[in-house]
Structure formats: structure tokens, C-alpha cells
Amino acid sequence: MLSISAALFSDLRDEIQNKYNNGHIFKASYTNLGINDQIDVYIDENVSIQSEENKVIPYEINVDFKKIHLVSWQLVTQTLDSEKNSIRLQIVDIDPLQKSISYKLPEVHWIKIKAITKAAFDIVTFAVKLAIGLAGIMALWLGLMRIAEKSGLLQYFVRIIFPLLHWLFPAIDKKHPVLGSISLNMAANMLGLGNAATPMGIKAMQQLQELNKTKDRASDEMCMFLAINTSSVQLLPPVTLIAVMGLGVSELILPIILATTASTIAAITSAKLYARARNKLCN
Amino acid sequence: MQLSALIIPLLILFIISFGLYKKVAVYEEFVEGGKEGFSVAVKIIPYLVAMLFAIAMFRASGAMEMIIGLMAPLFDFFGIPAEVLPMAIVRPLTGSGSVGVLAELIQTHGEDSVIVKIAATMFGSTETTLYVLAVYFGAVNITKTSYALKAGLIADFSGFIAASVVCIYFFG
């Protein structure tokens, strides 16, 4: 919606300012003589035709052109060459005595509207190509992660995380099974396995709900758990990132770990502070 | 950063050897997991189409330039390229959508640009906050989320700032 209105707005503005010189008659002079010969025409005025979307319609050029090759000056429409690109000019009048030529540029309307329509159709093909490309790397990575899961690698991470949980959730008894679910969820998140983490997270949430005293309102523990989850503790980048970035992802591993550490610290701090503020209100 | 090139191959080697050591049926499990990868990729097509479509229209219409132009002074203040803005907006809302944003940024700015690196780090370092919130609280019928959303968004925001700062330090 916003894009279409913006496109309409800028098209109307261009229309009013006549940015593309629709209907304007330019003068040019030529040097060589000879009917039906190729002649060179030099444009007197400094004309520049600019197309902002130089990939798209209407002019496939973005140049100041000085030289026109007319194949025949009796034809109404002629072609102006500028290297590879070309544009059709409409010849209005030719004066052999003055060696001058008057011409119009092709009319241009609704650039942005045409551009967004074209962009929309182009991108859809790109989306499917992208997804098919993703399939290969996703299959490879999730295949590897499945091996990691089955070989019990996840359990090692659980062992590292588990002792930290008591500090994060002081109200929960150390032996309660919910801590197991939470640590599994975090371990899966650390390995970038968002899809595997979700079911474990839901299980942890259900167990937290059993401990929750007000059933429709989120407890402090739930908020803490959620905040940590949304900040995504991450050692390996998420599968989809690997799929999109390919090998380029390896140099991002360190930045991601640093950034995610910052966001996790922010999550824990803000959850702790909010919890403290809420408990003060209650007491 | 020569070391970083080794991380992925070493990890693959480690996972497979560890699996063999633990007597996991490596091939069978790999294939089983791989199937999931394929179905995930197919599943996200509609999301990718929707998001890429929206961004493409947004960019082609010139609305993107306008907004980036408006936000530029704020971003310049922190030294962050304003082009990463779509990622910051979309990331908390939809995961597949932000894959689309990233893919679009790669296509427009190239894989080696700082913009893409910042956006990718943003992607990797935070989660789809609203989705996680909806799924987790929805599963247990919590309607009053108290401060969970605020805390999550604070985390996202810090992640974005950290991602930009770290990437500019490493690659800028």
C-alpha cells in the first residue's frame, strides 16, 4: 500500500514538474550534408535524460548525449545511439539551411508505477530460485545437526548450561524437571537449531505454567525464559543464515557470538529489573 | 581472520566423527535430517515471495529511499548504514521474512558489503521475538504477557546495536 502510494506520489510529482521533458522540443544542429546519408547531429542544448531506475524503463541510458546518428532525415522517428544504448527520437522539423533539427524525446509516464510492477514480477521468480538454493544447504546442515542430536552432543551443552539456570530462575527448585527442558531448549538454540528448540521451549513453558500462580498472566520465570529465547543465545549461526550466506558465514561467527552475548545480557538484565520493579509494586 | 575459514569444515568433521564414535547410524540420520531441510525450504517459499515482493515494491517505488533519507541522520550519528533498517524492522516480526530481507540486501549490495554483514549478524544474533512470544505464550494460554515483550524488544535492540558496532569494527 505504502509503496504504491509513494510510487503514485513521485510519478505525479514528476508529471507536474515534467521531469522527463514530455512534449518539449529540443533544437540540434548537424554538420555533414547529404540526403539519405548518415549525418552527425550535434545537440546544442545540454540535454540530459536521467532515468533513476537505470535498470528499468523507459530509457535504458543515463547519459548526456552529444551526437546523434540519423540514418535518414526524412524519417519521422530516428534512433539516437549512445554506445550500446539507444533511444528513439521524434523529429519535428528539419531546416537544411540552418543545418538545424528540432526533435522531441519520447514521452515518458508513470515510471515508478511501471517499475514496481516489474520489480514485483521479477522478484517472485527470484524467491523460488532462492528457496530451491536454500534446500540443498539446509538439508546438509540439518542432516549434520541430526547426527549431533542423536550422538548426544546436545547433552554436553545441557551440562554446561544447567548450573547457570539456578541463578536465572532462583524461584524454581533445583531438581524440578522444567530446568531440564529449559537447558535442552537453550542448547538447541546455541547450535542454531531453531526448529528443534521450539518444541522443547513449549514443553518448558507448559511446565512453567504449572508453577505459575496466576494462570492468565506470565510469571517472572516465563518472562525471563522468553527474553532469553528471543535474544537467542547462539554459538553457531542459525541454519537459514548458513543457507543464505553460504561459506561467507564463517567470518561472521565471531561477530554473531559477540552481538548475541550483548543481546542476551540485555535480555537478562531487563527481565531481572522488570521483575524487581513488579515485585516491589506487589509488596 | 584465517582461522574462521576452518570453523565450518572442522565442525563438520567433528560432528561426523563424534557420531561415529557414539555408534550413531550416521548416513541414515543424516538423510532423515536432510529431508527436514528440504521441507523447511519449500515451506518458506510463500513467506519469501511475500516479503521479497513487499520489499521490491517498497524499493522500486522510491519509498525506501524516502524513509532511509529520513532516518539517515539518526543512523549516521551511530555510524550505522541506514540500509540495514529493513532488517531491524522485520527481524522481530518474521523469520522467513527476514531471510527475504537478507537475500534482497545481498542481491542489491553484494555479499561482501558491510551492509550485508551487519544485516546477517543482526539476523544471527536475535530471534523472531513476536513469533516466539505468540507460540510460547499461545501454547499455555497466557494472555497477559506482562513485561516479556518489552524485555524481548530491548534484547533485540541491543543485539542490533551490538551487531552494527561489531561489524563496523571488524569489516568497516
Side-chain angles (χ1 to χ4, degrees):
Chain A
M1 281 303 295
L2 186 64
S3 334
I4 294 176
S5 352
L8 267 177
F9 170 74
S10 87
D11 277 350
L12 282 175
R13 191 188 54 200
D14 290 351
E15 202 76 6
I16 290 162
Q17 295 172 348
N18 201 7
K19 189 173 181 183
Y20 302 103
N21 296 313
N22 292 333
H24 184 82
I25 295 172
F26 293 95
K27 291 257 181 197
S29 62
Y30 57 87
T31 47
N32 303 353
L33 271 178
I35 300 167
N36 291 334
D37 285 344
Q38 176 163 323
I39 56 167
D40 292 338
V41 176
Y42 295 92
I43 297 172
D44 288 339
E45 290 175 64
N46 188 15
V47 184
S48 72
I49 299 174
Q50 295 221 328
S51 152
E52 284 174 10
E53 307 293 333
N54 46 17
K55 276 185 229 158
V56 213
I57 36 187
Y59 306 115
E60 293 182 323
I61 45 167
N62 200 356
V63 288
D64 293 351
F65 29 80
K66 298 280 187 205
K67 199 171 175 185
I68 307 173
H69 294 284
L70 286 175
V71 182
S72 161
W73 55 329
Q74 278 146 348
L75 292 176
V76 178
T77 7
Q78 294 293 353
T79 306
L80 177 147
D81 286 311
S82 166
E83 291 171 42
K84 274 179 270 173
N85 302 308
S86 67
I87 179 175
R88 317 254 323 156
L89 294 179
Q90 190 189 1
I91 307 297
V92 183
D93 185 37
I94 294 172
D95 184 350
L97 294 173
Q98 300 272 322
K99 289 184 179 178
S100 80
I101 179 169
S102 311
Y103 64 92
K104 277 190 206 169
L105 293 170
E107 304 235 323
V108 177
H109 302 281
W110 307 118
I111 288 202
K112 296 283 190 192
I113 289 287
K114 285 180 188 161
I116 64 172
T117 320
K118 188 174 187 306
F121 281 92
D122 286 353
I123 208 74
V124 170
T125 327
F126 172 65
V128 176
K129 269 190 210 154
L130 177 70
I132 299 301
L134 293 184
I137 308 176
M138 295 265 268
L140 169 69
W141 202 252
L142 286 174
L144 284 171
M145 283 302 151
R146 172 103 179 174
I147 297 174
E149 206 180 319
K150 289 286 162 182
S151 59
L153 207 56
L154 218 54
Q155 304 303 326
Y156 284 85
F157 280 89
V158 168
R159 259 182 239 173
I160 300 169
I161 298 164
F162 200 78
L164 298 172
L165 290 182
H166 184 62
W167 178 71
L168 291 175
F169 304 96
I172 298 177
D173 187 74
K174 269 185 191 171
K175 284 171 191 149
H176 197 281
V178 68
L179 294 183
S181 311
I182 292 177
S183 52
L184 265 175
N185 165 272
M186 285 189 188
N189 268 331
M190 281 171 111
L191 294 173
L193 294 169
N195 293 328
T198 310
M200 298 168 198
I202 291 176
K203 180 134 192 261
M205 217 30 141
Q206 284 162 346
Q207 287 165 328
L208 285 173
Q209 176 73 327
E210 283 166 26
L211 295 172
N212 190 4
K213 284 167 199 137
T214 47
K215 294 294 176 197
D216 64 333
R217 176 189 280 270
S219 65
D220 287 339
E221 286 71 30
M222 288 170 151
C223 290
M224 173 62 85
F225 178 59
L226 211 94
I228 294 173
N229 245 289
T230 60
S231 71
S232 88
V233 204
Q234 212 118 58
L235 278 182
L236 293 180
V239 183
T240 36
L241 186 62
I242 297 174
V244 179
M245 294 288 289
L247 275 178
V249 86
S250 48
E251 57 177 6
L252 291 177
I253 291 179
L254 187 61
I256 288 176
I257 292 175
L258 292 176
T260 200
T261 309
S263 70
T264 309
I265 290 171
I268 294 172
T269 318
S270 57
K272 284 252 179 211
L273 288 178
Y274 274 120
R276 195 178 292 172
R278 186 163 84 165
N279 293 335
K280 259 185 195 162
L281 278 177
C282 292
N283 290 337
Chain B
M1 292 300 259
Q2 285 302 306
L3 205 67
S4 64
L6 290 174
I7 295 178
I8 289 180
L10 282 181
L11 191 75
I12 294 176
L13 189 69
F14 171 73
I15 289 172
I16 296 177
S17 347
F18 191 78
L20 286 171
Y21 168 71
K22 289 279 179 180
K23 300 198 170 55
V24 172
V26 178
Y27 178 74
E28 285 80 355
E29 294 299 344
F30 180 88
V31 173
E32 202 51 47
K35 279 181 201 161
E36 193 193 335
F38 192 76
S39 63
V40 170
V42 173
K43 247 186 253 167
I44 66 172
I45 290 181
Y47 299 95
L48 279 181
V49 170
M51 187 51 64
L52 287 170
F53 174 76
I55 298 170
M57 301 232 321
F58 204 60
R59 190 182 286 285
S61 71
M64 181 89 90
E65 288 159 46
M66 283 184 219
I67 291 185
I68 286 178
L70 285 177
M71 300 295 283
L74 184 67
F75 277 73
D76 283 347
F77 182 75
F78 292 103
I80 302 167
E83 284 83 353
V84 299
L85 186 68
M87 179 57 94
I89 295 170
V90 172
R91 183 63 189 137
L93 300 173
T94 140
S96 314
S98 31
V99 174
V101 174
L102 187 62
E104 201 267 352
L105 284 175
I106 291 174
Q107 224 194 12
T108 316
H109 301 287
E111 202 170 3
D112 290 326
S113 63
V114 182
I115 294 169
V116 167
K117 288 189 168 144
I118 294 175
T121 307
M122 281 181 172
F123 181 94
S125 61
T126 56
E127 252 295 334
T128 327
T129 301
L130 272 92
Y131 171 78
V132 173
L133 194 87
V135 169
Y136 283 10
F137 281 161
V140 291
N141 291 322
I142 293 276
T143 47
K144 293 172 187 156
T145 57
S146 40
Y147 53 85
L149 179 63
K150 276 184 258 170
L153 290 179
I154 289 174
D156 284 344
F157 186 72
S158 330
F160 293 156
I161 299 290
S164 312
V165 171
V166 168
C167 280
I168 288 168
Y169 178 75
F170 276 112
F171 311 110

